[in-house]
Amino acid sequence: MASATAAAAAYDYEDVAVAGAAQDLGYDPNFVPDSVKSFVVHMYRHIREKNVYEIHQMYETSFQTLSDRLFKDSPWPSVDAVAQYVENDHVFCLLYKEMWYRHLYARLSPTLKQRIDSWDNYCNLFQVVLHGVVNMQLPNQWLWDMVDEFVYQFQSFCQYRAKMKNKTEQEIALLRQFDQAWNVFGVLNFLQALVEKSTIVQILEQEKEGLEQFTATDGYDYSGGSNVLKVLGYFSMVGLLRVHCLLGDYQTGLKCLQPIDISQQGVYTSVIGSHIATIYHYGFASLMLRRYVDGIREFNKILSYIYKTKQYHQRSPQYEQILKKNEQMYALLAICLSLCPQVKLVEEIVNSQLREKYGDKMIKMQKYDDEAFALYDELFSYACPKFITPSVPSYDEPLVNYNQDAYRLQLKLFLYEVKQQQLLSGVRTFLKLYSTISLEKLANYMEVDVPTLRTILMTYKHKTHAVDADGKITSNADIDFYIVDDMVHVVESKPSKRYGDYFLRQIVKLEGMINELDRVKLE
Amino acid sequence: MGRELQQQVSLTVEQLVAVNPYNPDILNDLEDFVKEQVSSVTYNLEANLCLLRLYQFEPEKMKTEFVAYILLKALMAMPAPDFSLCLFLIPERVQMEAQFKTLTVLSHYLETARFGQFWEEATKSRHILETVPGFEQAIQNYIVHVLSLTYQKVSRPVLSEAINLNGPSLDKFLEHQVSNNGWIVDKSQSTGELIILPSSQFNHPELKRNSDETVPLEHLTRIFPILS
């Protein structure tokens, strides 16, 4: 196979920019240390024996340990060098290379040739899966990582390609030659094909009627079949959501996710990375669609979940990523709550974390002066996805960088929305103080004329009423009002303290304490 | 024969989008479909986003006339945020073109309920807006929607300015609303005519059910072991 040797050839390639330095230092792609030999031999055996537990252990722990010990700043041995230990098994070699590139992307910086070869490898791997010749059982973690990494490498490629200014002629020649590599149609069609071929949407439908099991077994197949296509198809829906968010197509992104009911636990919650990616992108898309309450609700749920379970992930290779997304989601929550002050939707623990991180900024964001806009800008820029321009650049025109274009456009449109809402927090503050007030008086307080006040009040109504996916309108306002001719009547939706939640918590606490006391007595 | 058969089973554009939303070959069908939506006063956001996406992927194929149609149709879909959804996909340099700047200004006035300014600007851009049948009516519907969210009772001059109708045409409009949508015209006021808009949970917020007090079952299950 052409691409089997491609990996090895990659090192010889002249354009080894940054990665080169480290790789040249005594890295011999053909040298296979004993520990690696043992790793692939065992991994191969466990895969053949469908021992998911052991595969998962080796994948999560051994691979990391070996990487830390032997391959901190060099790639793993080439696939050609290890193939002999795994009976040259085609599919195993594809999987090995998938990990090989992922490790390379994480620890070194890939050359263009390596990016292209990694694309080839994904093509071959997905092709094999789509043709249904894979009968393995792989851990969800790994399958999620494949989809996640596939989308990440696509994003990374687009960013790389968009920095045209300092491309060498050689690189441009290569880009032209391999114009199908990480092509946006190819990427989307692979994800879409995995969704369709796996019939995952139908499976989830049938599951609702009790005709099929998927969630109950976490997607695994315990009757001798393979989980690979099904679960890859499942995670590809999250992958599609993410790609569409990167492109600024939030509506389509949410549509891709629709078959997964995120109000419930599901296979997407079985892997922390997938759980976070799903909710982060769902919440971000909701924010951009002005469905602030949807965003707040889901951010609240996952942030509280992360808060409670963080400690179990401390040693996981994803820990840093978890913390980063955690911080980003607090920033997005701060934005949502500033535009739509529905604090009662947020649990105590999340709220106290939020105040600690963004309390001061959120107060300033209510002011809608230049400093406030700068803060919206700052939080958005910190927390948004790494937007991409998917199109191929023109190689003939003077080469310019366009890697910031997509981000700038999304930021600009978001800030535009913020500006449209700039007078709303002011009017809200006044409305809070009155049960009825005449337009004239309110206009006076706000230092505008009555016609302008009418527009502000109508804008308030329009912006606080979200249109959901089915076109249904729901109010997101905590302070609501109506006008009878020239008189404003204010209706405050009672800031109902969550007594239920509070009491439940206290009951559980008390019970714990009583149990503790009982134990003391016994001793 | 085979060809005839193919003709018969040829897919509608909606089906084409559903079958493969990432297919560059349906670009022309989607463009035709935009025209069809314009002439038949129908709307399909999904198909339009699909076309904008194809333009985004292959900018050299973009035809701005279709982008303009899509944006006009998106304005007509307000209060849904479709206009923004489309802008998210249109490169900034294209948005800088005069015709799109105009549309952005129009959208801004509608979003911030400055209806007087909207109609003023719309008059100036009549040549753009008149290319799309039903535009004015759709915008009026949106404005009526916002008024109905806000007012229980609105005076005639305020209504008149918002929907840009007066005199006999306003009377005709009111007549229609009275007989079809439950509006009431109250002429007994000394200060002038008051229009009573149909009540909903939005202009009568107290009608909204207060469901905040309920505790979801999944929370209750936490104390089941204690209660037993």
Side-chain angles (χ1 to χ4, degrees):
Chain A
M1 268 206 60
S3 66
T5 51
Y11 315 119
D12 305 329
Y13 187 67
E14 294 157 11
D15 170 46
V16 253
V18 193
Q23 292 180 18
D24 288 343
L25 278 181
Y27 170 63
D28 175 1
N30 296 315
F31 174 65
V32 184
D34 285 345
S35 45
V36 172
K37 197 160 103 187
S38 149
F39 173 81
V40 290
V41 167
H42 283 96
M43 182 72 117
Y44 179 54
R45 200 178 72 209
H46 294 316
I47 289 180
R48 295 201 54 158
E49 290 169 359
K50 295 193 175 179
N51 188 335
V52 183
Y53 178 79
E54 285 299 334
I55 302 170
H56 188 256
Q57 288 304 310
M58 295 200 69
Y59 174 81
E60 272 286 270
T61 316
S62 313
F63 187 75
Q64 292 308 324
T65 320
L66 281 174
S67 297
D68 283 340
R69 232 179 53 213
L70 300 172
F71 310 107
K72 237 187 161 67
D73 39 28
S74 68
W76 275 60
S78 77
V79 67
D80 294 342
V82 301
Q84 53 178 311
Y85 305 113
V86 293
E87 301 170 332
N88 289 305
D89 185 90
H90 179 55
V91 178
F92 185 88
C93 285
L94 292 174
L95 289 171
Y96 179 84
K97 274 201 284 177
E98 200 271 334
M99 291 168 74
W100 190 97
Y101 283 113
R102 185 134 42 89
H103 169 262
L104 178 87
Y105 268 78
R107 307 214 175 204
L108 309 157
S109 47
T111 65
L112 175 53
K113 189 69 175 63
Q114 287 167 335
R115 290 174 189 274
I116 294 168
D117 291 339
S118 180
W119 161 256
D120 270 345
N121 192 57
Y122 275 116
C123 291
N124 294 331
L125 182 60
F126 289 157
Q127 220 75 265
V128 169
V129 173
L130 285 168
H131 285 101
V133 283
V134 171
N135 67 348
M136 301 176 291
Q137 188 98 262
L138 292 181
N140 284 351
Q141 176 72 54
W142 194 351
L143 295 170
W144 161 252
D145 286 345
M146 274 182 212
V147 174
D148 188 47
E149 181 71 12
F150 178 66
V151 176
Y152 166 73
Q153 291 192 13
F154 165 61
Q155 169 204 312
S156 167
F157 182 85
C158 289
Q159 296 285 355
Y160 161 86
R161 183 177 55 189
K163 289 178 197 152
M164 287 297 289
K165 246 181 174 165
N166 35 26
K167 290 269 179 292
T168 62
E169 263 174 51
Q170 231 167 358
E171 281 172 309
I172 290 177
L174 215 53
L175 279 171
R176 274 181 200 268
Q177 188 188 345
F178 295 98
D179 61 346
Q180 288 309 300
W182 298 111
N183 175 293
V184 62
F185 287 110
V187 169
L188 285 167
N189 278 315
F190 263 126
L191 293 171
Q192 175 77 5
L194 287 167
V195 173
E196 268 165 26
K197 209 59 200 264
S198 66
T199 68
I200 186 65
V201 177
Q202 292 86 323
I203 291 175
L204 291 174
E205 271 308 312
Q206 294 207 311
E207 187 179 47
K208 277 187 212 150
E209 291 157 36
L211 299 170
E212 187 125 19
Q213 272 203 339
F214 181 75
T215 312
T217 62
D218 267 348
Y220 292 110
D221 191 321
Y222 293 117
S223 46
S226 163
N227 69 334
V228 174
L229 178 58
K230 264 193 292 188
V231 176
L232 273 182
Y234 180 91
F235 285 136
S236 291
M237 294 190 284
V238 182
L240 282 168
L241 165 69
R242 180 165 161 210
V243 174
H244 283 298
C245 281
L246 292 174
L247 295 167
D249 191 350
Y250 310 107
Q251 172 96 357
T252 310
L254 288 183
K255 194 165 172 271
C256 294
L257 188 69
Q258 222 169 28
I260 301 179
D261 178 2
I262 59 160
S263 71
Q264 306 272 324
Q265 301 256 313
V267 173
Y268 77 100
T269 56
S270 70
V271 178
I272 181 80
S274 134
H275 190 182
I276 290 178
T278 307
I279 300 304
Y280 166 80
H281 290 98
Y282 172 88
F284 187 80
S286 300
L287 165 65
M288 297 305 266
L289 284 160
R290 295 208 303 251
R291 297 180 196 154
Y292 305 117
V293 165
D294 292 348
I296 293 169
R297 215 170 258 140
E298 292 306 322
F299 283 140
N300 168 60
K301 268 202 310 210
I302 193 153
L303 288 170
S304 131
Y305 175 78
I306 294 174
Y307 183 84
K308 289 173 196 152
T309 58
K310 211 161 46 178
Q311 75 234 48
Y312 307 118
H313 298 287
Q314 254 166 30
R315 302 178 70 199
S316 137
Q318 289 91 30
Y319 190 58
E320 252 174 64
Q321 194 55 31
I322 293 172
L323 290 187
K324 186 174 173 211
K325 278 276 168 284
N326 186 57
E327 294 304 308
Q328 287 183 320
M329 287 192 287
Y330 271 108
L332 292 176
L333 181 61
I335 293 177
C336 286
L337 284 172
S338 297
L339 293 170
C340 171
Q342 289 274 34
V343 183
K344 64 177 180 197
L345 295 175
V346 180
E347 285 171 49
E348 274 172 48
I349 40 166
V350 175
N351 199 25
S352 69
Q353 291 282 305
L354 180 70
R355 297 293 142 188
E356 204 174 287
K357 292 172 202 286
Y358 291 109
D360 294 344
K361 288 187 177 169
M362 285 176 75
I363 291 167
K364 287 179 189 156
M365 283 159 85
Q366 287 305 314
K367 294 207 177 103
Y368 289 88
D369 49 11
D370 285 347
E371 193 191 5
F373 287 120
L375 285 170
Y376 274 103
D377 183 328
E378 178 194 318
L379 263 58
F380 182 91
S381 303
Y382 166 67
C384 68
K386 296 259 172 293
F387 298 110
I388 51 171
T389 303
S391 54
V392 181
S394 147
Y395 298 114
D396 302 320
E397 286 164 27
L399 304 177
V400 285
N401 287 352
Y402 61 96
N403 56 313
Q404 296 271 316
D405 288 8
Y407 151 71
R408 276 203 212 103
L409 175 63
Q410 304 301 314
L411 173 66
K412 184 180 137 182
L413 293 170
F414 168 73
L415 289 179
Y416 202 63
E417 178 66 41
V418 173
K419 284 209 169 124
Q420 288 182 348
Q421 304 198 24
Q422 64 181 326
L423 297 169
L424 305 189
S425 82
V427 78
R428 189 172 158 274
T429 314
F430 282 113
L431 289 176
K432 258 163 112 178
L433 303 173
Y434 293 90
S435 55
T436 53
I437 182 172
S438 72
L439 284 174
E440 204 172 331
K441 204 163 144 195
L442 183 54
N444 244 329
Y445 289 148
M446 291 197 60
E447 296 170 7
V448 294
D449 57 15
V450 171
T452 308
L453 177 62
R454 286 185 197 273
T455 67
I456 297 172
L457 288 169
M458 285 191 284
T459 308
Y460 183 93
K461 277 285 192 174
H462 168 55
K463 296 292 189 186
T464 55
H465 287 72
V467 185
D468 74 8
D470 312 316
K472 216 184 102 216
I473 290 169
T474 40
S475 167
N476 287 339
D478 57 341
I479 309 286
D480 214 337
F481 68 89
Y482 56 89
I483 304 176
V484 180
D485 197 10
D486 285 328
M487 193 58 94
V488 185
H489 300 255
V490 182
V491 183
E492 185 164 0
S493 69
K494 283 268 166 358
S496 59
K497 271 261 176 191
R498 290 210 157 179
Y499 294 117
D501 193 40
Y502 180 79
F503 278 124
L504 283 177
R505 223 183 286 263
Q506 297 306 320
I507 290 170
V508 174
K509 227 184 221 170
L510 179 66
E511 181 69 11
M513 221 177 279
I514 291 174
N515 285 341
E516 199 96 333
L517 286 174
D518 281 350
R519 222 170 304 147
V520 172
K521 249 186 285 173
L522 285 174
E523 275 171 9
Chain B
M1 166 74 195
R3 205 196 172 99
E4 272 171 35
L5 208 68
Q6 230 176 23
Q7 290 279 320
Q8 276 174 5
V9 295
S10 80
L11 301 170
T12 65
V13 182
E14 284 102 325
Q15 285 167 325
L16 281 178
V17 174
V19 170
N20 191 351
Y22 314 116
N23 178 4
D25 299 334
I26 62 175
L27 188 123
N28 290 329
D29 294 307
L30 287 169
E31 289 177 343
D32 290 343
F33 190 46
V34 171
K35 272 195 210 152
E36 192 190 314
Q37 291 173 55
V38 169
S39 59
S40 62
V41 201
T42 53
Y43 184 56
N44 188 319
L45 174 66
E46 203 183 316
N48 295 351
L49 288 177
C50 188
L51 178 57
L52 290 178
R53 186 162 60 223
L54 295 179
Y55 286 156
Q56 186 191 24
F57 295 172
E58 298 178 292
E60 66 281 2
K61 292 191 180 162
M62 175 182 286
K63 295 198 196 93
T64 48
E65 56 172 302
F66 294 107
V67 178
Y69 278 137
I70 290 176
L71 285 175
L72 281 163
K73 293 298 272 184
L75 277 184
M76 292 163 70
M78 286 186 76
D82 299 8
F83 191 82
S84 313
L85 296 184
C86 295
L87 286 191
F88 288 138
L89 297 176
I90 301 169
E92 201 170 358
R93 58 179 167 73
V94 178
Q95 293 188 26
M96 286 301 150
E97 287 179 25
Q99 57 170 337
F100 297 122
K101 271 191 173 164
T102 308
L103 294 181
T104 308
V105 169
L106 288 174
S107 148
H108 181 69
Y109 288 150
L110 289 175
E111 285 285 342
T112 51
R114 285 183 243 176
F115 303 130
Q117 279 163 290
F118 169 82
W119 292 114
E120 226 172 87
E121 188 66 34
T123 317
K124 282 188 242 162
S125 322
R126 185 143 281 169
H127 58 288
I128 309 179
L129 307 182
E130 277 176 352
T131 53
V132 181
F135 182 80
E136 216 171 279
Q137 164 127 45
I139 299 299
Q140 266 169 5
N141 288 345
Y142 160 68
I143 294 172
V144 165
H145 157 80
V146 176
L147 288 169
S148 314
L149 293 183
T150 313
Y151 291 91
Q152 285 184 4
K153 297 176 187 175
V154 63
S155 71
R156 186 177 163 111
V158 172
L159 175 70
S160 164
E161 199 211 334
I163 57 172
N164 199 33
L165 291 176
N166 42 43
S169 40
L170 180 58
D171 288 333
K172 211 174 136 204
F173 175 84
L174 281 172
E175 221 170 87
H176 177 81
Q177 296 292 355
V178 167
S179 48
N180 291 293
N181 297 324
W183 290 29
I184 298 165
V185 180
D186 179 0
K187 295 186 177 170
S188 66
Q189 300 289 322
S190 56
T191 46
E193 217 169 280
L194 263 189
I195 289 97
I196 305 171
L197 298 170
S199 53
S200 68
Q201 54 162 308
F202 305 118
N203 61 9
H204 287 254
E206 71 280 2
L207 292 179
K208 204 167 88 182
R209 280 171 297 125
N210 208 343
S211 57
D212 296 334
E213 292 294 341
T214 58
V215 177
L217 183 66
E218 60 188 82
H219 287 180
L220 268 184
T221 52
R222 281 190 305 206
I223 63 162
F224 280 0
I226 301 171
L227 295 177
S228 63

